[in-house]
Amino acid sequence: MASFSRPQARRGPSGAWTRLKPAVIDPLDVYGLPSKGETRLHDHKTQEDYYQKIVDRYMKFIASSGGGEELERAFAAMAVKDNPPIAVTRSAPSDRDRPALPRQTSATPRPNDMPNILMAMRKLREALLGSHRRDHFAQRAYIFIIQASILSRHWESYQPALLYLLNEIHPVTPLSPLELQDFAGYRILDLACRQYELMDAFAVRHAYKLDDRRVTVVLMSLVHDDWVRFWRTKRVVDGYQRSIMDFAVDRMRWHALKCLGRGYLNADKSFIERTGDASWPELVKGGVGWQLQDTGNVIIRKPKAK
């Protein structure tokens, strides 16, 4: 009689794979960019939950930066960089049977967290744009994104958000008169200080009937190359306006130092620092080649021999 062997059950995946720890992911990395095909962020409730995660992480970043100059340096150093390309490799045949590892989120922020926060803001902004949302939540979210991006001097984030807030959201869900003045002022300062489009800045000022004396002083100081008024105004404006004005600092400083070079043979170091709105080491680092003497006097140029 022929004997029949019992069919053997197919072996499952190796037990070693099931014992691996779940992959830990950042809560802000759960979703991809809507412009790259992500659709889960089009849900309104998901948007609101994601927004709260962004705000929480942003506040933790503020608290961990220590405030003051440390916070300013942290903002200045942060910018979203393009993700490096991921090398695509062909999986081995045995990989096909390996189960997908479960993933869990981590509440621990990254040490260098602002680029990740800015990227999350971009995801939320694209989701709000894709879902055509212009309600009160969209307004509040855009206000937060714009202000945080301005402080980090990341114009790639605040410029499109600012235009959408003023041109698309405001006609549907109006900003308060004070908010409209503030954000129209940011738009004007961006045109004048970063883009150096003074005519466009005056046109926007007229269109919104802006009545902000400090913004007007900044515009006029740029028109007349009046670095004294520019430095004085920069010291009294709020942090958002000051961050946008920073884009014009090098241009105004260079003009001021050129004027000194034409008009003075020598000057006191403190006077030069006030004129350039920077310390002497910062000016030297920026390219100033004048000679500082032990007396504190700076030789700008020597008189021509007769």
Side-chain angles (χ1 to χ4, degrees), residues 42-238:
H42 287 172
D43 178 73
H44 287 192
K45 184 62 170 60
T46 303
Q47 291 172 357
E48 293 163 12
D49 292 342
Y50 193 58
Y51 168 74
Q52 191 58 52
K53 289 184 175 68
I54 296 173
V55 173
D56 291 343
R57 285 286 286 277
Y58 178 77
M59 297 309 295
K60 288 180 180 178
F61 172 77
I62 296 293
S64 64
S65 298
E69 294 182 359
E70 293 183 6
L71 178 60
E72 187 172 345
R73 283 195 296 268
F75 274 129
M78 303 303 177
V80 173
K81 297 181 180 179
D82 294 333
N83 293 327
I86 300 174
V88 179
T89 57
R90 181 175 296 177
S91 300
S94 59
D95 288 347
R96 299 171 184 172
D97 295 329
R98 294 174 181 173
L101 294 175
R103 301 192 300 176
Q104 62 183 21
T105 58
S106 170
T108 304
R110 298 175 180 177
N112 188 6
D113 213 22
M114 196 59 199
N116 196 41
I117 295 171
L118 288 171
M119 179 57 74
M121 291 178 185
R122 176 185 170 185
K123 295 174 185 177
L124 178 61
R125 179 166 51 84
E126 290 185 1
L128 293 170
L129 178 65
S131 59
H132 307 288
R133 194 168 181 181
R134 299 181 180 90
D135 58 3
H136 182 72
F137 168 76
Q139 182 194 80
R140 295 298 99 187
Y142 264 82
I143 286 175
F144 169 76
I145 290 171
I146 292 166
Q147 291 179 332
S149 301
I150 286 176
L151 289 180
S152 62
R153 300 180 183 89
H154 198 260
W155 65 266
E156 299 96 328
S157 296
Y158 77 71
Q159 184 190 30
L162 184 57
L163 291 174
Y164 191 77
L165 176 68
L166 292 174
N167 299 333
E168 300 295 335
I169 295 180
H170 174 63
V172 178
T173 306
L175 296 162
S176 70
L178 182 59
E179 288 174 335
L180 181 59
Q181 291 285 297
D182 286 343
F183 286 90
Y186 302 156
R187 173 63 177 153
I188 294 166
L189 289 177
D190 181 72
L191 285 168
C193 296
R194 184 180 65 83
Q195 303 182 51
Y196 204 49
E197 297 290 348
L198 296 177
M199 291 297 294
D200 291 343
F202 277 101
V204 173
R205 176 174 172 267
H206 176 74
Y208 285 99
K209 298 179 175 60
L210 187 74
D211 186 22
D212 189 324
R213 186 182 62 83
R214 292 173 179 175
V215 172
T216 301
V217 170
V218 173
L219 287 178
M220 298 309 297
S221 66
L222 291 171
V223 169
H224 297 290
D225 290 322
D226 188 346
W227 68 84
V228 176
R229 295 181 73 190
F230 185 86
W231 300 143
R232 288 176 178 173
T233 307
K234 187 172 180 288
R235 294 188 185 102
V236 298
V237 297
D238 63 37

Side-chain angles (χ1 to χ4, degrees), residues 235-298:
R235 294 188 185 102
V236 298
V237 297
D238 63 37
Y240 304 113
Q241 293 172 326
R242 184 164 53 251
S243 292
I244 300 177
M245 288 179 67
D246 280 341
F247 287 105
V249 162
D250 288 341
R251 183 168 66 247
M252 294 299 287
R253 178 176 293 130
W254 179 246
H255 175 74
L257 295 176
K258 284 199 301 183
C259 290
L260 284 185
R262 296 191 194 103
Y264 291 82
L265 296 177
N266 59 80
D268 187 74
K269 179 172 74 73
S270 61
F271 173 70
I272 294 176
E273 290 176 330
R274 290 195 303 272
T275 302
D277 195 44
S279 66
W280 178 253
E282 290 173 334
L283 294 174
V284 172
K285 186 177 180 181
V288 172
W290 300 334
Q291 182 181 357
L292 175 63
Q293 297 181 316
D294 294 337
T295 59
N297 192 54
V298 176

